[in-house]
């Protein structure tokens, strides 16, 4: 069975995306310089990761002279939403109320009743 693709990039791809979100656009050397602050990596490693992100549609690139300049296609907020969605689906059965209860430190036994109340409150707020 083929492995399912994830919307959340692995750590090295995320490090390159973070660099480009800060830079807005840059070449391999620019990204390498930013990533090297926390993790020194070879130029060719960064180049490979950037190309992988282009294939996945997370980055766009254009030729400038002999080099490519990369810019993010995926926003930081889009990645955050994907991460939270995956967290919700994987650990909380898609329930935002369950996640909220967990973050507040609520007792798991009390969660179903409290979650229903919070869900109704949220629906009422949306409808008003």
């Amino acid at each position: 069975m083929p492995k399912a693709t994830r919307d959340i990039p692995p750590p090295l791809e995320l490090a390159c995306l973070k660099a480009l979100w800060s830079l807005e656009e840059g070449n391999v050397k620019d990204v390498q310089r930013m990533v090297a602050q926390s993790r020194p990596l070879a130029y060719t490693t960064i180049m490979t990761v950037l190309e992988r992100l282009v294939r996945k549609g997370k980055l766009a690139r254009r030729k400038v002279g002999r080099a490519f300049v990369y810019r993010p296609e995926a926003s930081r907020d889009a990645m955050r939403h994907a991460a939270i969605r995956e967290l919700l689906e994987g650990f909380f059965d898609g329930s935002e109320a369950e996640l909220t209860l967990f973050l507040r430190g609520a007792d798991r036994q009390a969660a179903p009743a409290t979650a229903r109340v919070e869900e109704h409150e949220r629906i009422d707020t949306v409808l008003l």
Side-chain angles (χ1 to χ4, degrees):
M1 180 170 356
K3 196 173 178 181
T5 59
R6 294 178 63 195
D7 288 332
I8 304 169
L12 188 50
E13 290 180 11
L14 185 57
C16 291
L17 276 168
K18 285 180 178 179
L20 283 166
W21 286 326
S22 294
L23 294 166
E24 296 184 12
E25 72 172 21
N27 59 30
V28 176
K29 199 69 167 164
D30 297 331
V31 175
Q32 181 188 26
R33 231 183 329 270
M34 295 274 302
V35 171
Q37 294 173 8
S38 61
R39 190 173 177 182
L41 294 166
Y43 179 94
T44 54
T45 301
I46 299 294
M47 184 173 61
T48 300
V49 172
L50 294 176
E51 288 303 313
R52 189 179 310 142
L53 286 166
V54 168
R55 282 195 311 274
K56 291 180 177 183
K58 308 287 186 203
L59 297 180
R61 70 176 187 183
R62 63 185 168 81
K63 190 92 165 173
V64 175
R66 294 179 52 192
F68 285 108
V69 174
Y70 299 87
R71 68 175 166 71
E73 286 287 299
S75 71
R76 187 182 299 256
D77 282 345
M79 290 290 110
R80 287 176 176 162
H81 284 286
I84 291 170
R85 188 172 48 249
E86 188 170 304
L87 177 72
L88 277 173
E89 293 302 321
F91 291 96
F92 299 96
D93 298 323
S95 171
E96 292 177 25
E98 287 281 329
L99 172 61
T100 302
L101 287 171
F102 176 79
L103 293 173
R104 289 182 180 165
D107 182 4
R108 189 98 173 112
Q109 301 299 336
T114 308
R116 282 193 299 275
V117 169
E118 286 184 1
E119 189 68 27
H120 288 295
E121 288 173 357
R122 192 175 57 162
I123 291 170
D124 291 343
T125 302
V126 171
L127 293 176
L128 293 176

